[in-house]
Structure formats: structure tokens, C-alpha cells
Amino acid sequence: SYVLTQPPSVSVAPGETARITCGGNNIGSKSVHWYQQKPGQAPVLVIYYDSDRPSGIPERFSGSNSGNTATLTISRVEAGDEAGYYCQVWEDRSSDLWVFGGGTKLTVL
Amino acid sequence: EVQLLESGGGLVQPGGSLRLSCAASGFTFNNYAMSWVRQAPGKGLEWVSFISGSGRPTYYADSVKGRFTLSRDNSKKTLYLQMNSLRAEDTAVYYCAKGWEEMATISRVFDIWGQGTMVTVFS
């Protein structure tokens, strides 16, 4: 089955830029979606189809996807951005059609 | 406002059964595919099952195939997950999630999630 690899943790100081990667074989040929999950809460979609933002998500959140790596970028990081972040793709050649990465814990120093 | 409200979680012994429900409001339920996604304690997200707006097709993760059955009652705007032959590894918070694409047979992204219901399988 298709595997998505994320770093377990990323740390960044307030006001800096956080980049969270999601690796997968030729992931650039797929559409990648990103979810934010704060402790005790349900996931929230923050980026869909590689780089689109749902209404209500700040412009500080952006996404890109090329080659074997997709990236979620959070500019001007705030304390409230501290959360887990998960990438996800739909892979019709996998037995499990909807695949999530293992998640990355973003810590704001 | 679009809302999803799960119910039906609880404690069950291995081999037992539970039925989860997800009540939807704020959108045209039958126009959207729905899924269940679970999260074991301290772990990541795992997709469990999918159903189109019409009720067919349905898809299941290998880990639950043959044990779980997903259905929907569009007249009641409710999604159901029948879970049989439960195992300890099924212990998780179960979220129902709405597909983003309207009138699509397959929805690739989940735009709205419920708050989840906890299922604990213990011996």
C-alpha cells in the first residue's frame, strides 16, 4: 500500500516560518490534503488539492507539491498554530484508498 | 452551519459488536459521500470506511473488511457503522467526515469532521 512519511516533530519560534514535509513515491502526481488537529479536538482541513485554502483558514497557511515531497508552509507562526498536522492522499492503486501520513507535531517555542 | 454528531461509542469486550451513528445537519446529506476515520490513543489518523451519497459504492480498510459495515439513511440524514467481531486494536476515537466534492462518486478530501465517539475494546 502507498506510504506517506512525515517527520514526527517540527519546532519553530513565533513569527518564523514552519515547513512540514510529506514524502511519498511520486507524490507530485497526486493531490495532497492537509489537516490540523489540536489536542482533544477533531481534525480541521487547512489545505486541499495541494495548495487551496478552505474559507476561514488564514493566508499564512500554504501548500506545495512536487516530485516525491509535498510541503505545508505556515508563515509568521503563532502560538495557536501549535498542533498535529497530517497529510492525506487518495490512492486508487492502494488497498486502503485514503492514506494518511503519520502526523507531525508542530511545537511553537 | 454544517454539523456532524457521532454517537454509539462505548466499552465492549473482544468479539462484541457496536453500532456507531453520525447525524448530519446543515447540508444536503444525500449529495455528499461520507467516511469514518479513526484514531487510536496517542496515534495518527486511519481511514476506516467510505460510502457514496447514494449508498453505493462502499469501501473498507483491509483492517476492518469483513467485520464492519457502513450504511446510510438519507431520509434521516444519518450514517451508520456496524462493527462486529471487535478486537483490542479497534480501540480508538471514531470520527465521521464529510466529503468535500458534491455529487461525486468518490470524494478525495474530507472537509468537515464530527467531534468523534470513543470505542474501547477490553477484556
Side-chain angles (χ1 to χ4, degrees), chain A residues 33-37 43-48 51-58 61-63 72 74 84-86, chain B residues 109-111:
Chain A
H33 319 290
W34 291 91
Y35 304 88
Q36 175 195 69
Q37 186 181 33
V44 172
L45 179 67
V46 293
I47 293 290
Y48 63 103
S51 59
D52 290 337
R53 274 180 293 104
S55 61
I57 300 301
F61 288 80
S62 62
L72 172 69
I74 309 172
Y85 291 86
Y86 294 88
Chain B
V109 57
F110 314 113
D111 65 339

Short mmCIF file of all heavy atoms in Angstrom, two decimals, chain A residues 33-37 43-48 51-58 61-63 72 74 84-86, chain B residues 109-111:
data_model
loop_
_atom_site.label_atom_id
_atom_site.label_comp_id
_atom_site.label_asym_id
_atom_site.label_seq_id
_atom_site.Cartn_x
_atom_site.Cartn_y
_atom_site.Cartn_z
N HIS A 33 -3.76 16.66 0.67
CA HIS A 33 -4.60 17.45 1.55
C HIS A 33 -3.97 17.45 2.94
O HIS A 33 -3.33 16.47 3.34
CB HIS A 33 -6.02 16.86 1.59
CG HIS A 33 -6.51 16.42 0.25
ND1 HIS A 33 -6.82 17.31 -0.75
CD2 HIS A 33 -6.69 15.18 -0.26
CE1 HIS A 33 -7.19 16.64 -1.83
NE2 HIS A 33 -7.11 15.35 -1.57
N TRP A 34 -4.15 18.56 3.67
CA TRP A 34 -3.54 18.72 4.99
C TRP A 34 -4.60 19.04 6.04
O TRP A 34 -5.51 19.85 5.80
CB TRP A 34 -2.53 19.85 4.96
CG TRP A 34 -1.30 19.58 4.15
CD1 TRP A 34 -1.11 19.86 2.83
CD2 TRP A 34 -0.08 18.99 4.62
NE1 TRP A 34 0.15 19.46 2.44
CE2 TRP A 34 0.80 18.94 3.52
CE3 TRP A 34 0.35 18.49 5.86
CZ2 TRP A 34 2.10 18.41 3.63
CZ3 TRP A 34 1.63 17.98 5.97
CH2 TRP A 34 2.49 17.94 4.86
N TYR A 35 -4.44 18.43 7.22
CA TYR A 35 -5.36 18.64 8.33
C TYR A 35 -4.57 19.06 9.56
O TYR A 35 -3.47 18.57 9.81
CB TYR A 35 -6.13 17.34 8.65
CG TYR A 35 -6.89 16.80 7.47
CD1 TYR A 35 -6.27 15.93 6.58
CD2 TYR A 35 -8.20 17.17 7.22
CE1 TYR A 35 -6.94 15.44 5.47
CE2 TYR A 35 -8.88 16.68 6.12
CZ TYR A 35 -8.24 15.82 5.25
OH TYR A 35 -8.92 15.34 4.15
N GLN A 36 -5.18 19.96 10.32
CA GLN A 36 -4.63 20.40 11.60
C GLN A 36 -5.47 19.78 12.71
O GLN A 36 -6.70 19.80 12.64
CB GLN A 36 -4.71 21.93 11.70
CG GLN A 36 -4.27 22.51 13.03
CD GLN A 36 -4.72 23.96 13.16
OE1 GLN A 36 -5.91 24.25 13.29
NE2 GLN A 36 -3.77 24.88 13.13
N GLN A 37 -4.82 19.25 13.73
CA GLN A 37 -5.55 18.68 14.86
C GLN A 37 -4.95 19.16 16.16
O GLN A 37 -3.81 18.82 16.49
CB GLN A 37 -5.57 17.15 14.81
CG GLN A 37 -6.46 16.55 15.89
CD GLN A 37 -6.47 15.03 15.88
OE1 GLN A 37 -5.47 14.40 15.56
NE2 GLN A 37 -7.61 14.44 16.24
N PRO A 43 -9.95 16.84 13.67
CA PRO A 43 -9.11 17.45 12.62
C PRO A 43 -9.88 18.54 11.87
O PRO A 43 -11.12 18.50 11.76
CB PRO A 43 -8.80 16.28 11.69
CG PRO A 43 -8.95 15.06 12.54
CD PRO A 43 -10.07 15.39 13.48
N VAL A 44 -9.11 19.50 11.36
CA VAL A 44 -9.66 20.59 10.55
C VAL A 44 -8.87 20.65 9.25
O VAL A 44 -7.63 20.64 9.27
CB VAL A 44 -9.54 21.94 11.30
CG1 VAL A 44 -9.92 23.10 10.38
CG2 VAL A 44 -10.39 21.94 12.56
N LEU A 45 -9.58 20.71 8.14
CA LEU A 45 -8.91 20.82 6.84
C LEU A 45 -8.30 22.19 6.71
O LEU A 45 -9.00 23.21 6.85
CB LEU A 45 -9.94 20.57 5.73
CG LEU A 45 -9.45 20.66 4.29
CD1 LEU A 45 -8.48 19.52 3.97
CD2 LEU A 45 -10.65 20.64 3.32
N VAL A 46 -7.00 22.26 6.38
CA VAL A 46 -6.34 23.57 6.23
C VAL A 46 -5.86 23.81 4.80
O VAL A 46 -5.73 24.97 4.38
CB VAL A 46 -5.18 23.76 7.23
CG1 VAL A 46 -5.72 23.82 8.66
CG2 VAL A 46 -4.13 22.66 7.10
N ILE A 47 -5.54 22.75 4.07
CA ILE A 47 -5.13 22.85 2.66
C ILE A 47 -5.71 21.66 1.92
O ILE A 47 -5.64 20.53 2.40
CB ILE A 47 -3.59 22.85 2.51
CG1 ILE A 47 -2.97 24.12 3.09
CG2 ILE A 47 -3.19 22.69 1.03
CD1 ILE A 47 -3.26 25.40 2.31
N TYR A 48 -6.29 21.91 0.74
CA TYR A 48 -6.78 20.81 -0.08
C TYR A 48 -6.30 20.98 -1.52
O TYR A 48 -5.97 22.08 -1.95
CB TYR A 48 -8.31 20.69 -0.01
CG TYR A 48 -9.09 21.86 -0.54
CD1 TYR A 48 -9.69 21.81 -1.79
CD2 TYR A 48 -9.25 23.02 0.22
CE1 TYR A 48 -10.42 22.88 -2.28
CE2 TYR A 48 -9.97 24.10 -0.26
CZ TYR A 48 -10.56 24.02 -1.51
OH TYR A 48 -11.28 25.09 -2.00
N SER A 51 -2.77 23.06 -2.67
CA SER A 51 -2.47 24.44 -2.31
C SER A 51 -3.69 25.33 -2.09
O SER A 51 -3.53 26.53 -1.88
CB SER A 51 -1.59 25.08 -3.39
OG SER A 51 -2.25 25.04 -4.64
N ASP A 52 -4.89 24.77 -2.14
CA ASP A 52 -6.09 25.58 -1.92
C ASP A 52 -6.42 25.66 -0.43
O ASP A 52 -6.25 24.69 0.30
CB ASP A 52 -7.27 24.98 -2.68
CG ASP A 52 -7.15 25.15 -4.18
OD1 ASP A 52 -6.42 26.07 -4.62
OD2 ASP A 52 -7.76 24.36 -4.93
N ARG A 53 -6.92 26.82 -0.03
CA ARG A 53 -7.30 27.03 1.37
C ARG A 53 -8.81 27.11 1.52
O ARG A 53 -9.44 27.88 0.81
CB ARG A 53 -6.70 28.32 1.91
CG ARG A 53 -5.30 28.23 2.46
CD ARG A 53 -4.80 29.57 2.96
NE ARG A 53 -4.61 30.52 1.86
CZ ARG A 53 -5.43 31.51 1.58
NH1 ARG A 53 -6.50 31.71 2.33
NH2 ARG A 53 -5.18 32.31 0.56
N PRO A 54 -9.37 26.33 2.45
CA PRO A 54 -10.81 26.50 2.74
C PRO A 54 -11.07 27.89 3.30
O PRO A 54 -10.17 28.52 3.85
CB PRO A 54 -11.10 25.42 3.79
CG PRO A 54 -9.96 24.47 3.70
CD PRO A 54 -8.78 25.28 3.26
N SER A 55 -12.31 28.33 3.18
CA SER A 55 -12.65 29.62 3.76
C SER A 55 -12.43 29.58 5.27
O SER A 55 -12.72 28.57 5.92
CB SER A 55 -14.11 29.99 3.45
OG SER A 55 -14.97 29.01 4.00
N GLY A 56 -11.88 30.66 5.80
CA GLY A 56 -11.63 30.75 7.23
C GLY A 56 -10.22 30.35 7.64
O GLY A 56 -9.82 30.59 8.78
N ILE A 57 -9.48 29.76 6.72
CA ILE A 57 -8.09 29.41 7.02
C ILE A 57 -7.20 30.59 6.63
O ILE A 57 -7.27 31.08 5.50
CB ILE A 57 -7.66 28.14 6.25
CG1 ILE A 57 -8.56 26.95 6.64
CG2 ILE A 57 -6.19 27.82 6.53
CD1 ILE A 57 -8.56 26.62 8.11
N PRO A 58 -6.34 31.03 7.54
CA PRO A 58 -5.50 32.22 7.26
C PRO A 58 -4.59 32.02 6.05
O PRO A 58 -4.14 30.90 5.77
CB PRO A 58 -4.69 32.37 8.54
CG PRO A 58 -5.47 31.67 9.60
CD PRO A 58 -6.15 30.54 8.92
N PHE A 61 -1.19 29.98 5.83
CA PHE A 61 -1.09 28.56 5.51
C PHE A 61 -1.05 28.39 3.99
O PHE A 61 -1.91 28.90 3.26
CB PHE A 61 -2.29 27.78 6.06
CG PHE A 61 -2.26 27.63 7.56
CD1 PHE A 61 -2.68 28.65 8.39
CD2 PHE A 61 -1.83 26.44 8.15
CE1 PHE A 61 -2.65 28.52 9.77
CE2 PHE A 61 -1.81 26.29 9.52
CZ PHE A 61 -2.21 27.33 10.34
N SER A 62 -0.02 27.69 3.51
CA SER A 62 0.09 27.43 2.08
C SER A 62 0.65 26.03 1.86
O SER A 62 1.23 25.43 2.78
CB SER A 62 0.97 28.48 1.41
OG SER A 62 2.28 28.43 1.93
N GLY A 63 0.48 25.53 0.64
CA GLY A 63 0.96 24.20 0.34
C GLY A 63 1.58 24.12 -1.03
O GLY A 63 1.27 24.91 -1.92
N LEU A 72 3.70 21.60 3.61
CA LEU A 72 2.79 22.57 4.22
C LEU A 72 3.66 23.66 4.84
O LEU A 72 4.55 23.35 5.65
CB LEU A 72 1.93 21.90 5.29
CG LEU A 72 1.07 22.85 6.14
CD1 LEU A 72 -0.04 23.46 5.29
CD2 LEU A 72 0.48 22.12 7.35
N ILE A 74 3.72 27.23 6.99
CA ILE A 74 2.98 28.14 7.86
C ILE A 74 3.89 29.34 8.12
O ILE A 74 4.94 29.22 8.76
CB ILE A 74 2.59 27.48 9.19
CG1 ILE A 74 1.89 26.14 8.94
CG2 ILE A 74 1.69 28.42 10.00
CD1 ILE A 74 1.63 25.32 10.20
N GLY A 84 -1.02 19.04 15.84
CA GLY A 84 -0.58 17.98 14.96
C GLY A 84 -1.06 18.27 13.54
O GLY A 84 -2.15 18.82 13.36
N TYR A 85 -0.24 17.93 12.56
CA TYR A 85 -0.59 18.16 11.16
C TYR A 85 -0.44 16.85 10.40
O TYR A 85 0.58 16.16 10.52
CB TYR A 85 0.29 19.25 10.54
CG TYR A 85 -0.01 20.62 11.11
CD1 TYR A 85 0.61 21.06 12.28
CD2 TYR A 85 -0.92 21.46 10.49
CE1 TYR A 85 0.31 22.30 12.83
CE2 TYR A 85 -1.22 22.70 11.01
CZ TYR A 85 -0.61 23.11 12.18
OH TYR A 85 -0.91 24.34 12.72
N TYR A 86 -1.46 16.52 9.60
CA TYR A 86 -1.48 15.27 8.85
C TYR A 86 -1.68 15.54 7.36
O TYR A 86 -2.55 16.32 6.99
CB TYR A 86 -2.65 14.38 9.31
CG TYR A 86 -2.52 13.89 10.73
CD1 TYR A 86 -3.00 14.64 11.80
CD2 TYR A 86 -1.91 12.67 11.01
CE1 TYR A 86 -2.88 14.20 13.10
CE2 TYR A 86 -1.79 12.21 12.32
CZ TYR A 86 -2.27 12.99 13.36
OH TYR A 86 -2.16 12.52 14.65
N VAL B 109 -11.21 14.19 -0.42
CA VAL B 109 -10.80 15.00 0.73
C VAL B 109 -11.99 15.18 1.67
O VAL B 109 -13.14 15.21 1.25
CB VAL B 109 -10.23 16.36 0.26
CG1 VAL B 109 -11.24 17.11 -0.60
CG2 VAL B 109 -9.79 17.22 1.42
N PHE B 110 -11.67 15.29 2.95
CA PHE B 110 -12.71 15.41 3.99
C PHE B 110 -12.73 16.85 4.51
O PHE B 110 -11.75 17.30 5.09
CB PHE B 110 -12.40 14.46 5.14
CG PHE B 110 -12.03 13.07 4.70
CD1 PHE B 110 -10.74 12.58 4.90
CD2 PHE B 110 -12.96 12.23 4.10
CE1 PHE B 110 -10.38 11.31 4.50
CE2 PHE B 110 -12.62 10.95 3.71
CZ PHE B 110 -11.33 10.49 3.90
N ASP B 111 -13.85 17.55 4.31
CA ASP B 111 -13.84 18.96 4.68
C ASP B 111 -14.46 19.28 6.03
O ASP B 111 -14.16 20.31 6.62
CB ASP B 111 -14.48 19.83 3.57
CG ASP B 111 -15.96 19.54 3.39
OD1 ASP B 111 -16.43 18.45 3.79
OD2 ASP B 111 -16.66 20.42 2.84
#
